[in-house]
Amino acid sequence: MSTAQFEELVEDFEFLEDWEDRYRHVIDQGKAMEALPEALCVPATKVDGCASQVWLHAEMKDGRLHFDGASDAMIVSGLIAVLRTLYNGLTPAEVMAVDARAQLGRLGLNEHLSAQRSNGLRAMIERVRETAAREV
């Protein structure tokens, strides 16, 4: 289960042969996101377990999850953008059905992130899943 946007991202990654190009593409995805308003960068939206500062703000619109985020690290902002393409617009039940590890593996992220970044990514995924679980 993945969104059409995520499938487009997978296709983009298939054209990028080396990891440095993929890494830059992830960073570019983060740069393209709208900034999270500072008023939403509060302890309640902060994600623990990340080496960088990370905030995720999720809300339900018409029964579907939508979230935005911010980080003080460019690559982490890009990872937030990737997660948004994976999850935004799904129902809570669909969010819970996503195998994020497998989907992100399609991008080659699993083997190219440092242990700290991988831990942070897992923490962000868990936050999204927790939000969805409250709505199921």
Side-chain angles (χ1 to χ4, degrees):
M1 152 116 301
S2 63
T3 66
Q5 279 185 309
F6 188 78
E7 290 304 319
E8 288 178 26
L9 186 61
V10 170
E11 288 178 19
D12 290 346
F13 268 66
E14 288 172 354
F15 288 107
L16 302 171
E17 295 194 12
D18 72 31
W19 175 243
E20 287 184 25
D21 290 339
R22 290 179 176 197
Y23 195 82
R24 277 192 291 278
H25 191 60
V26 169
I27 290 172
D28 289 344
Q29 295 291 306
K31 288 179 179 177
M33 281 192 317
E34 283 188 36
L36 186 68
E38 279 191 43
L40 295 176
C41 295
V42 296
T45 61
K46 190 166 188 298
V47 178
D48 295 323
C50 299
S52 306
Q53 300 287 320
V54 177
W55 297 270
L56 295 180
H57 175 260
E59 59 187 350
M60 299 299 295
K61 294 180 184 173
D62 298 322
R64 299 191 173 274
L65 178 76
H66 294 273
F67 78 91
D68 293 304
S71 176
D72 60 351
M74 288 190 306
I75 187 65
V76 178
S77 292
L79 293 173
I80 293 167
V82 168
L83 290 178
R84 290 180 71 226
T85 66
L86 182 60
Y87 289 116
N88 269 0
L90 298 180
T91 66
E94 290 169 336
V95 169
M96 300 305 291
V98 169
D99 180 348
R101 182 177 171 82
Q103 294 297 335
L104 296 174
R106 295 171 63 200
L107 302 177
L109 292 177
N110 296 339
E111 59 270 359
H112 288 98
L113 294 177
S114 69
Q116 282 184 318
R117 293 282 184 244
S118 293
N119 288 340
L121 183 57
R122 277 191 293 277
M124 289 186 283
I125 291 166
E126 189 57 34
R127 175 65 66 89
V128 171
R129 290 178 56 81
E130 287 170 1
T131 301
R134 287 192 298 265
E135 302 293 329
V136 175

